[in-house]
Amino acid sequence: MDFISILSIFVLACFVGYYVVWSVTPALHTPLMAVTNAISSVIVVGALIAAAAPVLGASGTTAKWLGLGAVVLASVNIFGGFAVTARMLAMYKKKEKK
Amino acid sequence: MRFALLSAAAAEAGHLAVPAWVALAYLVSGVLFILALRGLSSPATSQAGNRYGMIGMTIAVATTLVTHEVASLPEIVGALAIGGGIGWFIARKIAMTDMPQLVAAFHSLVGLAAVLVGLAAYLNPEAFGITGADGLIEPQSRIEMGLGIAIGAITFSGSVIAFLKLAGKMSGSPILLPGRHVLNLGTLVAILGLVGYFTQDQSGWVIATITILSFLIGFLLIIPIGGADMPVVVSMLNSYSGWAAAAMGFTLHNTAMIITGALVGSSGAILSYIMCKAMNRGFLSVIAGGFGADAGGASGGPAKEQRPWKRGSAEDAAYMMKQAESVIIIPGYGMAVSQAQHALREMADTLKKEGVSVKYAIHPVAGRMPGHMNVLLAEANVPYDEVFELEDINSEFAQADVAFIIGANDVVNPAAKTDKSSPIYGMPVFDVDKAKTIFFVKRSMGGVGYAGVDNDVFYMDQTMMLLADAKKMVEDIVKALAH
């Protein structure tokens, strides 16, 4: 993919984000922040690439450990973020019909 | 020259030689993330949305591991297990009232992870396929990398300060350094300049200086911002964590990261906008900081005169509300601090049994993060269809018998409508003054909200001040209602 295709995806995704987020009900703004937090940890993809790469020289070793550190941080966020969102969402209940 | 171009093209092709299914898998995970946010348009579909998010993340992680030569599987599994375990444990244990600082802490982790990934890509560019024909990192990748690290570092240090302020480990009042605007702008310009220079010279000191300066400016940007502006700050940092992920996505040419980064970035930006609008403040003035620093000073209006006010008791409140036809409850940050939501729901249940209509009215900036009050009420089992937004309920105060204000202050201050000199003038507020009776639960008469302005509601004829800890007062009202 060349830069322009990537930029196109990015710009269109910003518009998608704009419309999707305006449709989120204000009552769910806290879960929205928690879940966006969890999905922004997709940065784990970069962390995994760094951690998985075969080690070449001293800077390669440093890069691997930096990657592993990033994997730990991102996975705290992934598991924590999705779990806490699920916990919050489970609390939103409708009035019981009597 | 022609040869160099060809080999550059070959390197470019090598970088992009990803099988079609891999690109598709990342695209699917990006679309699942969009669906995750879409699900939040209603509580009924939200849980399914969250599951889409989890599936999307699983696909992204699995695809990455399958398509790369993994030289260190045990370490990676270990890292995922440690991080996952910690995250899971925190998510299970955290109290709902601590949600704002938890979100801030999570933002800081995304920021730091982005910095680490950026530095790793700098040290081992071959692994990321971003080296050019000359063996150096592609200039374009250097810009993306530099920006990613800078945004990540700002997100990290800014979120740490926001976390400390929200958790009460640091004073919530703004800390104003002399000449901070010049200092901040200078640092920002220096960072951008260095990112530009980085394309010419990829020495270690450049990227190191970018990283350090960015940590510094994140810190400098957040310390002058006061507690009441935290909803904007938390949303803004949410946005930054997205842009950091997007910048890394550009470096890696990864669709899932770019889509997610754009989604999270716009989400945080929209939330910041909503919060600013709900306070009638410009985004720049919030970022410039210092709001509420001069409370009680010259701009605090005329020296506080002693005006008469009435003190009510739990019994008065119980009696009046039992007689009422409709009660509207306005919760604020004070309710969160004293954890009064469960007692409040009990009070509402008792009133409903007496045939009183009970509704909750929530201001967009009530609490310390967007939607903070809604989560606390949901935790206390308040059905979400009894909870209303400002514009949906404001017209109902004129018919309401009782407005019950608990832990809120600025959001009910009529000065926002009438007093042009008030710092909160223009902020949309609840028309509580139209209700027949007002009960104002407040710790003491001393404190005057975060904006530091006196509130005329205290002194109105129909107002009774209930001075006590919010939870204690509500519990006493519940007891009184039982008689």
Side-chain angles (χ1 to χ4, degrees):
Chain A
M1 267 188 295
D2 57 302
F3 180 72
I4 291 301
S5 335
I6 293 182
L7 189 66
S8 319
I9 295 177
F10 176 72
V11 171
L12 292 177
C14 284
F15 278 95
V16 172
Y18 180 86
Y19 288 106
V20 169
V21 172
W22 273 115
S23 77
V24 172
T25 164
L28 292 176
H29 275 164
T30 298
L32 170 69
M33 299 195 88
V35 83
T36 48
N37 216 304
I39 65 174
S40 60
S41 305
V42 72
I43 199 145
V44 76
V45 166
L48 287 171
I49 294 174
V55 170
L56 300 166
S59 65
T61 314
T62 319
K64 177 184 146 181
W65 285 106
L66 289 175
L68 284 173
V71 172
V72 174
L73 297 177
S75 48
V76 170
N77 238 317
I78 295 172
F79 285 81
F82 281 124
V84 86
T85 310
R87 213 182 118 197
M88 279 191 271
L89 293 176
M91 298 185 315
Y92 283 81
K93 291 188 195 86
K94 259 192 147 150
K95 203 170 351 190
E96 295 145 42
K97 296 255 154 59
K98 280 176 200 159
Chain B
M1 184 60 203
R2 181 142 182 263
F3 180 70
L5 271 177
L6 275 177
S7 61
E12 185 79 22
H15 174 99
L16 301 168
V18 276
W21 75 265
V22 177
L24 272 177
Y26 284 128
L27 181 62
V28 168
S29 106
V31 171
L32 285 167
F33 290 147
I34 296 176
L35 292 175
L37 299 197
R38 183 78 188 99
L40 291 173
S41 58
S42 131
T45 54
S46 58
Q47 283 172 300
N50 198 36
R51 281 192 288 277
Y52 287 135
M54 294 183 208
I55 299 169
M57 190 59 76
T58 314
I59 292 177
V61 170
T63 310
T64 311
L65 287 178
V66 170
T67 51
H68 286 81
E69 185 189 341
V70 181
S72 48
L73 194 60
E75 287 101 318
I76 289 180
V77 172
L80 283 170
I82 295 172
I86 297 174
W88 183 257
F89 181 78
I90 297 174
R92 294 296 296 270
K93 290 283 163 216
I94 190 87
M96 283 301 142
T97 35
D98 294 339
M99 202 50 72
Q101 51 266 44
L102 178 76
V103 168
F106 277 173
H107 287 156
S108 76
L109 298 183
V110 181
L112 191 56
V115 174
L116 297 184
V117 172
L119 293 178
Y122 171 74
L123 290 169
N124 192 359
E126 291 87 5
F128 288 82
I130 50 174
T131 39
D134 50 3
L136 296 173
I137 304 170
E138 299 262 17
Q140 186 194 319
S141 301
R142 290 187 217 171
I143 296 184
E144 294 156 359
M145 186 190 287
L147 287 178
I149 289 177
I151 303 172
I154 294 173
T155 313
F156 172 73
S157 52
S159 301
V160 168
I161 302 296
F163 167 79
L164 292 174
K165 287 195 171 194
L166 288 166
K169 291 183 167 61
M170 184 177 165
S171 159
S173 54
I175 299 166
L176 302 174
L177 298 176
R180 63 204 154 86
H181 294 311
V182 178
L183 189 64
N184 289 351
L185 273 179
T187 317
L188 210 58
V189 170
I191 292 171
L192 290 176
L194 280 168
V195 171
Y197 178 68
F198 192 45
T199 58
Q200 303 306 312
D201 175 7
Q202 63 165 31
S203 328
W205 71 267
V206 184
I207 196 83
T209 317
I210 293 175
T211 315
I212 293 167
L213 284 180
S214 306
F215 279 131
L216 186 71
I217 195 166
F219 174 78
L220 290 173
L221 276 175
I222 308 301
I223 52 165
I225 303 180
D229 284 339
M230 276 302 145
V232 182
V233 170
V234 176
S235 316
M236 184 185 81
L237 292 167
N238 184 232
S239 176
Y240 288 179
S241 68
W243 303 132
M248 288 299 153
F250 272 97
T251 311
L252 298 179
H253 292 213
N254 184 299
T255 341
M257 283 168 90
I258 292 171
I259 296 180
T260 315
L263 286 178
V264 178
S266 17
S267 162
I270 291 172
L271 290 178
S272 313
Y273 170 79
I274 296 175
M275 295 299 117
C276 284
K277 211 170 140 239
M279 296 193 289
N280 191 38
R281 308 209 27 223
F283 183 70
L284 280 178
S285 95
V286 173
I287 297 310
F291 190 65
D294 47 10
S299 70
K304 253 168 87 186
E305 51 193 306
Q306 290 296 322
R307 284 196 275 171
W309 49 275
K310 276 181 293 200
R311 180 167 189 159
S313 68
E315 288 73 27
D316 299 333
Y319 176 78
M320 293 291 290
M321 287 197 281
K322 224 175 191 172
Q323 309 297 317
E325 255 173 53
S326 68
V327 172
I328 301 178
I329 299 173
I330 300 126
Y333 184 56
M335 180 194 82
V337 173
S338 78
Q339 305 254 18
Q341 65 271 29
H342 299 279
L344 193 64
R345 200 255 311 149
E346 216 180 304
M347 181 186 98
D349 281 354
T350 318
L351 288 173
K352 278 191 275 179
K353 277 198 204 104
E354 301 281 338
V356 183
S357 133
V358 181
K359 286 177 179 170
Y360 298 82
I362 301 203
H363 194 277
V365 290
R368 282 293 176 273
M369 71 185 293
H372 192 183
M373 292 298 123
N374 301 80
V375 172
L376 295 181
L377 292 178
E379 186 202 12
N381 276 321
V382 172
Y384 61 79
D385 37 11
E386 288 176 10
V387 182
F388 296 88
E389 304 300 323
L390 173 66
E391 61 266 33
D392 296 330
I393 198 160
N394 220 4
S395 58
E396 293 185 28
F397 281 100
Q399 288 92 44
D401 295 308
V402 175
F404 189 85
I405 304 160
I406 173 166
N409 189 351
D410 293 335
V411 298
V412 296
N413 194 337
K417 289 182 286 187
T418 52
D419 179 5
K420 283 211 167 95
S421 66
S422 171
I424 58 169
Y425 179 73
M427 169 172 157
V429 291
F430 290 116
D431 298 328
V432 286
D433 44 323
K434 293 192 181 138
K436 289 193 193 75
T437 309
I438 302 170
F439 287 105
F440 210 124
V441 184
K442 205 169 173 304
R443 201 176 274 278
S444 70
M445 284 304 282
V448 282
Y450 277 91
V453 275
D454 209 358
N455 193 336
D456 282 339
V457 172
F458 300 161
Y459 314 104
M460 285 176 178
D461 286 340
Q462 76 266 44
T463 304
M464 276 199 224
M465 301 300 296
L466 304 173
L467 299 182
D469 172 72
K471 187 177 176 187
K472 172 113 201 342
M473 176 53 72
V474 176
E475 281 169 354
D476 288 348
I477 295 175
V478 173
K479 268 187 226 141
L481 280 171
H483 292 304

